[in-house]
Amino acid sequence: MRGKQLPDARQVLGLAHDGAEVELQGAWFPAVYAWMALRPAALDCASYVRVLQAGRQQALEPVAVSAICKSFEAGFGAPKEHTDGATATVDLPGLCCATVDTRARLFGKSVIDIQEKSYLQLLWEEALNPLYIFQVASIAIWCSEEYYYYAATIFVISAVSIASTLVSTKQTARKLRAMSVYVCPTCVLRDGSWVDVDSSELVPGDIVDLSKHSFDRVPCELILVEGSCIVDESMMTGESIPENKVAIEAGDAALEAIDMAAHTFQPTISRHILFAGTQIIRVRTTSSTYSSGGQDIRATAMVLRTGFCTTKGTLVRSILFPRPTHFRFYRDALRFVWVMAAMA
């Protein structure tokens, strides 16, 4: 990407390895590591993406490459006869297998899955903290002076501190993953027939039958097409009063307010949206146009966003990767350490 402005004023640059590996610099000074061990490269052949904010480096993220058989336009292009006027949502056979496969490659699985780090990875990251590097140097100095009791005391205190940090970090990661990961059976329209699939296999554009399976939580973000719902959104907004969601009509001007790049939706369209992570209390069915010769009383919705692209996914991302905070006390303490080191 050539300096593309992201919604939060961040930029990304493609970087590739030069062959040098400087682990400590990568952990302590990522900007220095990027300057010494990486070189600029095109995004399609880059190993890392450098995330910048206000000209300062925030993170280095590995690049994941997925093979896409079709272009973005080919994957989302709809036949013209299905996009004219009021017939936009009538007599559609659902997505075909080829389209589902293409969109699954583009968007991934419809699940907010957080990878837990092992205790060994957490220990390595914690051991690279400059404080514990300083403690190791202190232990070496005290041992060289034969103050073994001081060295043992420092070692025990550091070990207890690291162990307590590892346990608390692991417990927090497990709780966050249990809150984020959710998979349930869903009834979806594929190739003109209703089939049961796991919610992790949903892709944007799928038509879901809300009346067949009772959702403990909404697995992805849906726009209500037929019927109505009463939804508990306290998980997202903290509001204890349930919200009434109504179906959107074909040609509704509110459709123009849908911004798929935004973190959430405008109030004019939110009354039609079922947000991921919310709970459906009651579903009201109606006569459905998505009939396959059997039940024609349904409440249907179309998948808009899945996984980390949803509002819930944005919330989880903000917990996993909070904005860096800079305290003046830490900056002044670092200056003091450098001055004392120079005097020593």
Side-chain angles (χ1 to χ4, degrees), residues 211-244:
S211 58
K212 184 174 181 180
H213 297 285
S214 58
F215 297 128
D216 183 26
R217 286 176 286 172
V218 180
C220 57
E221 282 185 347
L222 308 163
I223 182 168
L224 203 57
V225 178
E226 296 172 332
S228 61
C229 296
I230 298 178
V231 183
D232 180 8
E233 294 185 344
S234 59
M235 179 265 184
M236 299 294 297
T237 63
E239 179 62 47
S240 60
I241 301 177
E243 295 287 337
N244 185 33

Side-chain angles (χ1 to χ4, degrees), residues 67-130:
I68 305 299
C69 299
K70 298 181 180 180
S71 64
F72 185 86
E73 291 79 7
F76 286 86
K80 190 176 188 301
E81 60 269 23
H82 291 314
T83 58
D84 292 335
T87 62
T89 60
V90 179
D91 298 331
L92 293 181
L95 300 181
C96 63
C97 294
T99 303
V100 170
D101 181 67
T102 300
R103 299 190 184 183
R105 291 171 179 263
L106 286 170
F107 298 102
K109 286 187 173 294
S110 176
V111 61
I112 304 176
D113 193 4
I114 302 173
Q115 294 183 354
E116 290 187 36
K117 294 182 180 179
S118 64
Y119 280 107
L120 187 60
Q121 290 175 312
L122 294 175
L123 177 62
W124 173 251
E125 294 179 357
E126 190 69 17
L128 288 182
N129 191 308

Side-chain angles (χ1 to χ4, degrees), residues 108-112 181-188 190 196-203 206 208 215 217-220 303 305-307:
K109 286 187 173 294
S110 176
V111 61
I112 304 176
V181 178
Y182 177 70
V183 179
C184 64
T186 58
C187 184
V188 63
R190 299 271 176 88
D196 290 335
V197 300
D198 284 339
S199 60
S200 60
E201 300 179 15
L202 295 176
V203 297
D206 269 329
V208 180
F215 297 128
R217 286 176 286 172
V218 180
C220 57
V303 178
R305 300 192 296 196
T306 60

